[in-house]
Amino acid sequence: MTKKYKKKKTHHKKKRASPVKILMIPFFILMLYFYLNNIAQPDKLSLLGKEEVPSEYLPIYKAAEKEYGVPWNLLAAHHRVETKFSTMNSLVSPVGAEGHMQFMPCTFVGWSHPSCSGLGKGDIPEKQKTDPAIIEKYGGYGVDANGDGVADPFQIEDAVFSAANYLARNGAADGEIEQAVLAYNHSDEYVEDVLYYAEKYIEEPKGN
């Protein structure tokens, strides 16, 4: 006969966490915080950006970036160069550019409009200027961003989204930033100014 052996009960002692490991937890949390805020967010607003860019416009720039793939800081830079963040006395230029982001009417409504030629001021009836159906018909860049039924360059949401639409369709969404800015205004000085502010409005990633 075989003897039956009783299994000895083994007691497993629970290992206590090392005090050193416990003390390291807050350190790792702190490191993760700095990583997420400084390395993982290279487009974080810089000190100059905080000083210059009105906070109420940031959500609009970022919403337009999400919609069109155009960097928010590029839109902020255009806004700064065009109308100093809409602080100019008149939002109509001497040559006829209109609104917060200074669109020529023919660019906003579409150059195939029968009245469009030359610099693009055109002779477009006011009602047609903000009609999304007319803009679609003539191939313009105007956008009704806030869904009120009109695409108005004098409404900040519409103006910023229209600028993003224009820049995206001219290469900015594909990384051709300089090309897109030059299309917006055919001036090398203008391009330099916009790119300068676009760069200065965001912090550089740590380690650069």
Side-chain angles (χ1 to χ4, degrees), residues 45-193:
L45 198 63
S46 67
L47 182 60
L48 179 64
K50 290 175 183 177
E51 290 175 352
E52 285 199 3
V53 181
S55 59
E56 65 267 27
Y57 295 144
L58 283 172
I60 302 171
Y61 302 145
K62 292 187 177 182
E65 176 184 46
K66 185 176 180 181
E67 182 70 22
Y68 293 99
V70 175
W72 71 263
N73 54 306
L74 182 64
L75 296 168
H78 274 282
H79 196 185
R80 164 66 174 79
V81 173
E82 290 291 355
T83 60
K84 295 182 180 177
F85 298 112
S86 305
T87 61
M88 293 174 66
N89 291 332
S90 173
L91 293 181
V92 179
S93 78
V95 297
E98 298 178 342
H100 299 277
M101 302 297 274
Q102 293 290 280
F103 274 96
M104 293 302 293
C106 290
T107 303
F108 197 82
V109 175
W111 277 87
S112 61
H113 190 280
S115 73
C116 286
S117 62
L119 293 176
K121 188 174 182 179
D123 187 19
I124 306 170
E126 290 300 318
K127 192 172 182 180
Q128 289 190 5
K129 281 184 179 181
T130 60
D131 187 336
I134 294 293
I135 292 169
E136 183 178 2
K137 177 181 178 180
Y138 293 117
Y141 294 94
V143 173
D144 173 18
N146 56 15
D148 63 355
V150 297
D152 188 350
F154 293 96
Q155 289 182 350
I156 185 62
E157 295 92 347
D158 292 357
V160 171
F161 272 61
S162 298
N165 182 29
Y166 184 94
L167 291 165
R169 286 163 63 180
N170 281 277
D174 300 316
E176 299 294 336
I177 303 296
E178 188 170 338
Q179 169 188 299
V181 178
L182 186 61
Y184 203 98
N185 188 315
H186 303 298
S187 162
D188 290 335
E189 183 179 354
Y190 179 86
V191 173
E192 288 178 10
D193 289 345

